[in-house]
Amino acid sequence: MKLIITKQEVERKVKWLAGQISRDFAGREVLLVGVLKGAFIFMADLARRMKTPVKVDFVCLASYGSGTRSSGRVKITKDLETSVRGKNVLIVEDIIDTGITAQYLFHRLRSRRPRSLRTVALLDKPGRRRVSFRADYVGFTIEDHFVVGYGLDCNEEYRNLPGIYVVK
Ligand code: IMP
Ligand code: MG
């Protein structure tokens, strides 16, 4: 495996993202919606850096089976426990790859009438898009490589690595 983003670079970026988001929401409460499992570490660090009041909830979506290839299908395997209606909602994603997962979740949540709905993704692989989707906040734009670490896995392994690595 090859290190492409160090722990320190991730920390700096998460702090920067939290600063941008906090400024945009200007003291208003934000409901962070983490997409399990990949976003769990990013979400925990982002939440701690936020300067506005936050609440947290999680969804679990499955779009990948095992391995490194997308099935192209999405299902909610665990839904939110809180209502998003009238709230400022921020979807927290680990990575946007084909865009299918993020687009699906965005449309599902929008239909529940939040006050606002935005997306933050730590990583973005625009070269892999199969549907057009743009996150409002992106940490790092990367090449078309399968990456692990900082929450991202390959067959459930490597989520605990502090940096981001390309699997060779
Ligand atoms: P998408 O629907 O193709 O955009 O895929 C989104 C989900 O696939 C992400 O939330 C990840 O869980 C997973 N995924 C996509 N690319 C990678 C990768 O390079 N490493 C690990 N997981 C990935
Ligand atoms: Mg994921």
Side-chain angles (χ1 to χ4, degrees):
M1 295 205 300
K2 182 170 168 272
L3 179 68
I4 59 162
I5 305 169
T6 66
K7 174 179 184 254
Q8 290 75 16
E9 287 170 327
V10 172
E11 273 172 19
R12 224 176 301 139
K13 188 66 83 172
V14 172
K15 189 177 174 188
W16 178 81
L17 284 167
Q20 299 284 311
I21 296 163
S22 300
R23 190 171 335 138
D24 290 354
F25 284 95
R28 281 172 288 157
E29 184 178 281
V30 183
L31 175 65
L32 302 179
V33 171
V35 183
L36 295 172
K37 301 175 206 166
F40 82 113
I41 292 178
F42 174 42
M43 171 115 152
D45 285 347
L46 186 75
R48 279 178 286 194
R49 293 286 192 182
M50 292 284 291
K51 302 216 170 16
T52 62
V54 299
K55 289 185 177 164
V56 301
D57 204 343
F58 296 92
V59 290
C60 191
L61 300 172
S63 72
Y64 273 62
S66 55
T68 60
R69 301 188 65 160
S70 173
S71 67
R73 292 200 325 263
V74 186
K75 61 177 182 189
I76 295 186
T77 55
K78 183 220 164 298
D79 206 339
L80 292 174
E81 289 172 0
T82 42
S83 167
V84 301
R85 196 180 179 110
K87 296 184 181 148
N88 295 304
V89 177
L90 181 68
I91 296 170
V92 182
E93 263 279 23
D94 51 356
I95 187 166
I96 299 180
D97 184 32
T98 64
I100 292 169
T101 310
Q103 192 193 55
Y104 172 84
L105 181 61
F106 190 91
H107 285 113
R108 284 290 296 257
L109 295 189
R110 197 172 57 184
S111 72
R112 299 179 192 176
R113 316 265 308 270
R115 177 171 181 212
S116 67
L117 182 60
R118 293 187 183 184
T119 305
V120 57
L122 180 69
L123 301 163
D124 188 13
K125 287 197 278 194
R128 293 253 314 161
R129 281 300 191 286
R130 282 165 52 193
V131 295
S132 78
F133 185 86
R134 272 184 59 192
D136 300 279
Y137 308 95
V138 171
F140 303 94
T141 300
I142 61 170
E143 303 279 290
D144 175 13
H145 296 303
F146 196 82
V147 293
V148 297
Y150 200 70
L152 292 101
D153 74 307
C154 183
N155 291 331
E156 297 300 324
E157 278 191 276
Y158 312 118
R159 292 194 195 274
N160 57 322
L161 296 177
I164 310 280
Y165 296 77
V166 168
V167 181
K168 288 190 185 160

